[in-house]
Amino acid sequence: MNNLSNDIMYQASFEKNPEFEGVFWMGVKTTGIFCRPTCTARKPKPENVEFFDNTKDAILKGYRPCKVCKPLENPDETPAEIQKLMDELSVNPETKFKDIDLVERGLQPITVKRWFLKHHGMTFHAFQRTFKINSAFKKLQQGENVLDVALDNGYESLSGFNDSFKNVFGVSPKNSKMEKIVDLKRIETPLGTMIACANENGICMLEFSDRKALPTEFKDIPKHFDANIVQGENPHFKTLEKELEEYFEGKRKDFTVPLAPVGTDFQKNVWEILRTIPYGTTRSYQQQADILGNPKAVRAVANANGLNKISIIIPCHRVIGSNGTLTGYGGGIWRKQKLLELEKAILF
């Protein structure tokens, strides 16, 4: 049970505060429905509501999910039919879906377009092209012939392939040997959609898709590696997805997927210490600074924690305030609470 008062939860709901997403749900006695904190429907009077820690309790009490805010859905989750398209592209990047193909699958092309524009900043057809270009780039890096790669990736002309390639990398395919790439992929978890990035050395980013710092991180990573971030598959993603699934099922306490963290030497030292916090336990920022050998560096340690780009695997969620309170977390305090609850439940 969360320790928030009804007044705080009502005010958060009244303000549609996204910081409380996943922390509580509000049941409206006069209508028999329950909502998420950010619901845009007209707010009822305080005496006509009650609050729940989870959707199960709201349903057992007889409440129905609101049709406006859809509290049983993850708002950023990839729809199953779109996930299937992306999975097929992952297996075969040369696949080309036309609008007629989408219609035959029962999908509206305009709906698919809008979803990709919202979540990837590009149309579905542009998204397909990035997958093909990613695949082509890796084949060229392995020494394959430019013409063969263009034809294998479904391009009808070399000039069309050259133009598409230049749009992404800024150079022609034949001059791409010195270019580098960082792969990107959406991963669904019980706590929401995550964005993963990886290069040949390992995972360099794993963040919840609604993290406010994502735009900054998308600038830091390509600058650090002198590379382009392009949607595509990476061998490390398979290991990551498997281990994340096992973690959320309570079957994994340690991760083995290789990491390639982006940060200063000091930040990397702090992150290494984070990885020594035992599963299901917590430490304070002061304890982290003490282990680092610099007891006065509490603020610097806290700042480094906040700049961690690899959530869960580098477990900054296990660091709390000296008084035992949950402090800031990039993925939202509610997720920090859920992660700690998951680990303690499995541990004990």
Side-chain angles (χ1 to χ4, degrees):
M1 180 72 181
N2 71 59
N3 56 4
L4 299 174
S5 68
N6 283 0
D7 288 342
I8 291 176
M9 289 188 284
Y10 183 81
Q11 188 63 28
S13 180
F14 184 80
E15 296 172 351
K16 304 178 181 62
N17 191 334
E19 292 294 323
F20 290 83
E21 275 286 349
V23 178
F24 70 83
W25 287 261
M26 182 175 73
V28 184
K29 299 174 184 177
T30 52
T31 61
I33 66 169
F34 71 97
C35 309
R36 58 174 81 242
T38 54
C39 186
T40 57
R42 185 177 179 180
K43 299 303 178 187
K45 295 178 180 180
E47 61 267 26
N48 291 329
V49 303
E50 60 180 318
F51 298 95
F52 302 93
D53 283 347
N54 54 68
T55 57
K56 178 182 177 182
D57 289 346
I59 293 172
L60 290 176
K61 195 73 179 288
Y63 287 98
R64 306 182 307 279
C66 173
K67 293 182 179 180
V68 176
C69 65
K70 301 177 181 177
L72 297 181
E73 298 181 10
N74 169 12
D76 288 326
E77 185 174 10
T78 306
E81 58 273 17
I82 289 182
Q83 185 63 56
K84 190 171 188 299
L85 294 174
M86 295 168 70
D87 289 343
E88 291 182 36
L89 286 172
S90 295
V91 173
N92 184 8
E94 290 78 35
T95 302
K96 183 177 181 180
F97 294 102
K98 298 179 180 179
D99 284 353
I100 186 63
D101 299 318
L102 299 179
V103 172
E104 288 176 354
R105 289 171 175 242
L107 297 171
Q108 291 295 325
I110 187 62
T111 302
V112 175
K113 177 182 178 180
R114 286 171 179 164
W115 189 90
F116 276 90
L117 282 171
K118 178 181 178 181
H119 294 282
H120 290 280
M122 65 183 77
T123 66
F124 176 53
H125 296 303
F127 179 86
Q128 292 186 81
R129 289 194 293 272
T130 65
F131 246 102
K132 288 201 296 183
I133 289 298
N134 185 309
S135 173
F137 175 88
K138 290 171 181 173
K139 289 179 180 179
L140 292 172
Q141 295 290 301
Q142 294 167 3
E144 293 192 29
N145 179 273
V146 173
L147 179 59
D148 290 341
V149 170
L151 295 176
D152 288 345
N153 280 270
Y155 286 91
E156 298 177 358
S157 69
L158 193 56
S159 60
F161 175 58
N162 284 338
D163 290 343
S164 293
F165 198 94
K166 284 182 180 180
N167 285 337
V168 175
F169 296 105
V171 298
S172 65
K174 68 178 182 180
N175 294 324
S176 66
K177 272 293 182 182
M178 300 303 293
E179 296 298 310
K180 299 176 184 176
I181 196 170
V182 171
D183 300 299
L184 178 148
K185 184 174 186 177
R186 288 171 62 92
I187 297 175
E188 303 301 332
T189 79
L191 292 186
T193 304
M194 301 191 80
I195 306 296
C197 287
N199 62 9
E200 68 277 10
N201 296 318
I203 303 298
C204 53
M205 188 180 86
L206 179 65
E207 294 279 34
F208 288 100
S209 62
D210 54 4
R211 178 172 165 84
K212 294 178 181 178
L214 264 184
T216 300
E217 294 179 359
F218 280 138
K219 294 177 182 177
D220 290 343
I221 291 172
K223 182 177 180 181
H224 178 84
F225 290 116
D226 189 22
N228 292 279
I229 295 181
V230 183
Q231 179 83 32
E233 272 301 326
N234 185 296
H236 298 304
F237 288 155
K238 289 181 172 58
T239 304
L240 174 64
E241 290 178 285
K242 178 177 180 292
E243 295 191 347
L244 272 178
E245 182 178 356
E246 292 170 348
Y247 170 81
F248 280 108
E249 290 176 347
K251 299 176 182 177
R252 174 172 293 277
K253 297 179 180 178
D254 299 300
F255 290 86
T256 65
V257 62
L259 304 183
V262 173
T264 65
D265 289 341
F266 174 79
Q267 290 165 353
K268 290 178 181 178
N269 286 338
V270 172
W271 298 337
E272 280 302 312
I273 293 173
L274 280 174
R275 299 196 75 185
T276 68
I277 303 177
Y279 178 97
T281 65
T282 58
R283 283 185 192 154
S284 68
Y285 293 106
Q286 182 63 65
Q287 289 174 313
Q288 289 290 95
D290 292 343
I291 295 171
L292 186 65
N294 191 346
K296 295 182 179 181
V298 177
R299 182 170 295 182
V301 166
N303 185 57
N305 277 16
L307 294 174
N308 171 34
K309 300 175 182 63
I310 306 177
S311 299
I312 300 178
I313 301 175
I314 298 179
C316 52
H317 63 275
R318 295 177 190 160
V319 182
I320 61 176
S322 297
N323 60 357
T325 58
L326 299 185
T327 51
Y329 184 63
I333 293 294
W334 72 274
R335 286 196 177 104
K336 185 171 188 171
Q337 180 178 325
K338 296 293 185 185
L339 290 170
L340 292 176
E341 288 174 354
L342 166 70
E343 294 181 2
K344 288 178 181 178
I346 299 303
L347 190 62
F348 299 105

